[in-house]
Amino acid sequence: MKRKSSITLAVIVSLTTVLSACSGNGGNNESPSASTNTEPSASAPASETTNGSQFPLKEKITLKASAHRPVLAPSDFNEQPLLQELEKNTNVHIEWETTVDNDFIEKRNLLLASGSLPDFFFSGRFSDTELVRYGQEGTLIPLNDLIENHMPNLKSILDNRPDIKASIMAPDGNIYALPHGEEIGSGQEEIGANPDFLYINKDWLDKLKLQIPTTIDEFTTVLQAFKKQDPNGNGKADEIPLTYIDNFWTGDIGVLFGAFGVPDKTHRPNNPTYIDHLNVDNGKVTISAQQEGFKQAVSYLSNWFKEGLVDLDAFTHDYDTYFARGKTEDETIGAMIWWDKNDVVGPERSEHWVIVPPFKDMVVKWNSGGGLGRDGAAITKDNKSPEITAAWLDSFFEPTMSAQTRFGPLGVWFDKDASGKLIQKVVENPGELKQKTAITNGIGLLLSEMEDTVAYVEPRAQDRINDSVKYYVPQMQAEKFPNLFFNPEELEVIDRLKPDISAYINKMRAKWLLSGGVEKEWEEFQATLKKMGVEELLKAHQSGYDRYVAAQK
């Protein structure tokens, strides 16, 4: 009980800071300077609603929201202390309809098709194509004026970071969804530049007197030893030499295609404009599946499946089943591809899991996207109080509020130091705890210039950047396809062609990995890609890429 009270008190203190900034107390109408842009604005007009009132509203209103949530989070966000206090301080009640992350897109699409719209999507996860389509048809309303007049926290950020403002603006000049994310590193050292680390069980290597492999052939030898020599010592043939999740945002075997010179990039669900299978070489946009290295990789790796060196459940894994792979009573996996080893094997085993550095001459993929997205909160045409909604959403763009929303509240995930800065507590199994304590990762911004206010970079995130810089960056691709906003003509081509082309590539890749046959079917595969419009698709991507490059000069 005492712990719960301290958490609630900390939340109240934080929200008092946020909402006093939005209420305009003190009558300070000056815009913050660039040197203080991490503080919430105190501009009174920006928080006023249509009738001139300010938070807390004189009369409570109710808004309906649709949101995705982590698997372990409560289904009703109103159970979260942070949102309970926000309601008290704004007099805005939210009726939440939440869906677990993996099922959210399907649920969202059903809402859109039925015409029964919420007042806003807390995070819509709309693809660029969807933002343009739903924006132009009026389902989602433009947010430009709302940001300018009712969102002082976000306005301050965008005024001082025109790069973020440009990235969220659709080709028609409108903003249809709010930005979100965490800025952790930049360029090749950005935390998501390579989401796939290859880890290996060092205890098994030591027991079998093997070294960390330095080539793909040496890795094959290690996997064969894991399969045949009972490294877990239980007398059973239960070892799984390598596990991964096929065609997932992290953990995909495509990272190993780089050993053949052509890394095969992972996908972002429901976003056909993402870079799946795209590379850039000397300014030319290419699709990995048209390259000789792709064929060589699939041909080579299919032998692993033939020999039983790879987890066949790789094609059906989700978070739960994948994380369970490393936590069996007898340790059964020898190598894995994933974002963070602790998620899969747990902290008690993580010490004997080490990174396998990129193989000699391996090309490490450089993913686009980064930590910031443009598919956050969006307001629908059915919303009768867009100004109040915008002001309420703006609360989440104050740095300490963003941090608690995206990770967990004070007393659980953060403490305050003597200066008032939020600092991270030492927590066990942070990946699992974050799923329970974070409200969503789909709203709020945490930027490098806010680090004097919030120490939001998790220790494990900094460790990951350090490992990436040490091991992966030296062999990383020199060019990447940027996270650009295509124009309507390009989006039409991409939306029409890419889903089917990507699905076909993924299907054939899986078939060849499992059963072989790429050499025999390669020419037919290339002909089918051309018939499906791959050259037109590449032309659209090249057009967008060239425009992006020209704008940087």
Side-chain angles (χ1 to χ4, degrees):
M1 182 66 70
K2 182 178 180 181
R3 182 168 176 266
K4 182 178 180 182
S5 297
S6 66
I7 293 171
T8 304
L9 177 61
V11 172
I12 293 171
V13 171
S14 175
L15 283 169
T16 300
T17 302
V18 176
L19 295 170
S20 65
C22 288
S23 68
N25 291 339
N28 178 8
N29 292 323
E30 295 180 2
S31 298
S33 66
S35 63
T36 60
N37 70 320
T38 60
E39 296 298 324
S41 169
S43 173
S47 66
E48 293 178 354
T49 63
T50 49
N51 62 2
S53 64
Q54 297 173 348
F55 291 142
L57 301 177
K58 293 179 181 178
E59 295 184 8
K60 179 173 287 191
I61 73 165
T62 297
L63 299 171
K64 295 183 178 180
S66 174
H68 58 84
R69 61 178 171 85
V71 174
L72 302 179
S75 59
D76 185 356
F77 282 176
N78 287 324
E79 294 178 20
Q80 297 278 20
L82 203 64
L83 292 182
Q84 291 172 3
E85 296 307 321
L86 184 59
E87 178 170 338
K88 289 178 184 178
N89 286 279
T90 60
N91 219 10
V92 176
H93 175 72
I94 309 296
E95 287 185 2
W96 294 100
E97 183 171 12
T98 69
T99 310
V100 292
D101 288 327
N102 290 343
D103 299 329
F104 174 72
I105 299 299
E106 181 180 358
K107 178 64 175 179
R108 186 208 68 187
N109 289 344
L110 288 173
L111 286 174
L112 291 163
S114 70
S116 178
L117 295 173
D119 290 306
F120 66 96
F121 291 96
F122 197 43
S123 172
R125 287 190 171 175
F126 291 103
S127 70
D128 292 351
T129 302
E130 291 168 335
L131 285 176
V132 171
R133 181 170 77 247
Y134 291 126
Q136 292 183 344
E137 73 181 25
T139 302
L140 302 179
I141 67 171
L143 305 177
N144 307 49
D145 290 343
L146 292 172
I147 293 170
E148 182 70 23
N149 298 313
H150 302 278
M151 303 188 73
N153 292 313
L154 180 55
K155 181 180 184 304
S156 176
I157 291 171
L158 299 184
D159 285 349
N160 289 286
R161 288 292 301 268
D163 57 319
I164 297 176
K165 185 174 183 178
S167 74
I168 64 175
M169 191 173 290
D172 64 2
N174 286 319
I175 296 169
Y176 295 111
L178 300 181
H180 67 93
E182 300 149 28
E183 194 171 52
I184 305 177
S186 61
Q188 290 181 314
E189 297 180 13
E190 193 271 327
I191 193 168
N194 170 28
D196 302 302
F197 281 14
L198 176 62
Y199 295 100
I200 200 162
N201 190 327
K202 187 68 163 52
D203 275 2
W204 285 15
L205 288 176
D206 293 343
K207 181 176 181 179
L208 301 181
K209 296 181 172 53
L210 297 169
Q211 301 298 313
I212 293 175
T214 61
T215 67
I216 193 76
D217 289 337
E218 289 178 8
F219 189 45
T220 300
T221 300
V222 167
L223 296 180
Q224 290 168 337
F226 286 172
K227 175 72 174 177
K228 299 174 183 177
Q229 297 183 33
D230 191 27
N232 67 6
N234 65 0
K236 303 176 184 176
D238 58 354
E239 286 83 1
I240 300 171
L242 174 67
T243 189
Y244 74 99
I245 300 186
D246 193 72
N247 194 34
F248 204 58
W249 72 271
T250 181
D252 181 65
I253 203 169
V255 68
L256 298 182
F257 284 38
F260 303 86
V262 183
D264 193 33
K265 295 193 170 75
T266 52
H267 81 311
R268 180 173 295 171
N270 200 54
N271 191 348
T273 59
Y274 192 56
I275 56 157
D276 50 322
H277 308 298
L278 289 181
N279 291 303
V280 180
D281 301 295
N282 297 316
K284 182 180 179 182
V285 182
T286 60
I287 282 187
S288 58
Q290 290 187 298
Q291 309 303 307
E292 185 68 19
F294 182 96
K295 180 175 76 169
Q296 294 172 357
V298 172
S299 178
Y300 186 98
L301 298 178
S302 68
N303 292 313
W304 291 0
F305 288 84
K306 188 183 301 182
E307 295 180 43
L309 306 181
V310 185
D311 187 357
L312 293 182
D313 287 338
F315 298 94
T316 56
H317 272 316
D318 57 19
Y319 284 110
D320 291 338
T321 60
Y322 195 63
F323 289 1
R325 268 288 184 260
K327 300 181 180 70
T328 51
E329 182 176 353
D330 291 330
E331 197 161 16
T332 57
I333 57 174
M336 63 179 168
I337 305 168
W338 192 245
W339 178 272
D340 180 354
K341 61 183 179 179
N342 289 281
D343 292 337
V344 181
V345 301
E348 63 279 359
R349 287 177 174 169
S350 67
E351 289 301 317
H352 65 257
W353 280 83
V354 298
I355 290 173
V356 179
F359 303 131
K360 186 178 182 298
D361 299 325
M362 181 174 177
V363 178
V364 175
K365 63 184 179 181
W366 182 5
N367 266 24
S368 74
L372 304 185
R374 52 174 168 256
D375 57 349
I379 300 176
T380 75
K381 63 182 180 181
D382 287 357
N383 192 313
K384 306 302 183 187
S385 304
E387 294 86 358
I388 293 175
T389 305
W392 185 88
L393 289 169
D394 191 54
S395 303
F396 297 93
F397 289 92
E398 189 276 332
T400 61
M401 187 70 163
S402 288
Q404 293 176 83
T405 302
R406 299 181 66 83
F407 290 94
L410 282 162
V412 174
W413 195 281
F414 294 100
D415 284 328
K416 277 191 177 183
D417 66 13
S419 69
K421 178 180 179 178
L422 264 61
I423 55 174
Q424 298 209 15
K425 295 170 65 70
V426 177
V427 298
E428 291 187 5
N429 202 350
E432 183 174 318
L433 180 65
K434 184 177 177 182
Q435 286 218 13
K436 295 176 180 178
T437 60
I439 296 171
T440 180
N441 62 359
I443 195 168
L445 285 169
L446 294 171
L447 307 174
S448 57
E449 55 263 38
M450 297 175 180
E451 291 189 68
D452 289 340
T453 304
V454 180
Y456 65 85
V457 179
E458 295 179 68
R460 65 172 183 157
Q462 188 58 56
D463 289 343
R464 192 177 199 285
I465 290 176
N466 296 341
D467 287 336
S468 184
V469 170
K470 178 179 179 181
Y471 295 114
Y472 292 98
V473 169
Q475 291 178 222
M476 191 170 283
Q477 291 173 317
E479 301 165 279
K480 69 170 182 177
F481 195 90
N483 187 25
L484 58 87
F485 215 136
F486 292 95
N487 67 33
E489 293 76 20
E490 294 157 353
L491 283 172
E492 187 280 325
V493 172
I494 294 168
D495 193 41
R496 173 166 49 87
L497 297 177
K498 192 166 189 181
D500 288 343
I501 289 175
S502 291
Y504 177 62
I505 292 171
N506 295 337
K507 181 185 77 171
M508 297 305 294
R509 192 186 81 159
K511 174 188 174 183
W512 291 329
L513 286 173
L514 282 168
S515 307
V518 63
E519 297 91 346
K520 182 179 179 180
E521 299 178 274
W522 183 251
E523 294 303 322
E524 180 184 352
F525 174 63
Q526 296 305 319
T528 302
L529 286 176
K530 289 184 178 180
K531 189 181 299 182
M532 295 177 76
V534 70
E535 299 304 329
E536 185 182 1
L537 179 64
L538 280 170
K539 185 177 179 181
H541 281 90
Q542 189 71 55
S543 172
Y545 179 80
D546 290 343
R547 185 175 62 257
Y548 172 87
V549 171
Q552 310 306 306
K553 297 179 179 178

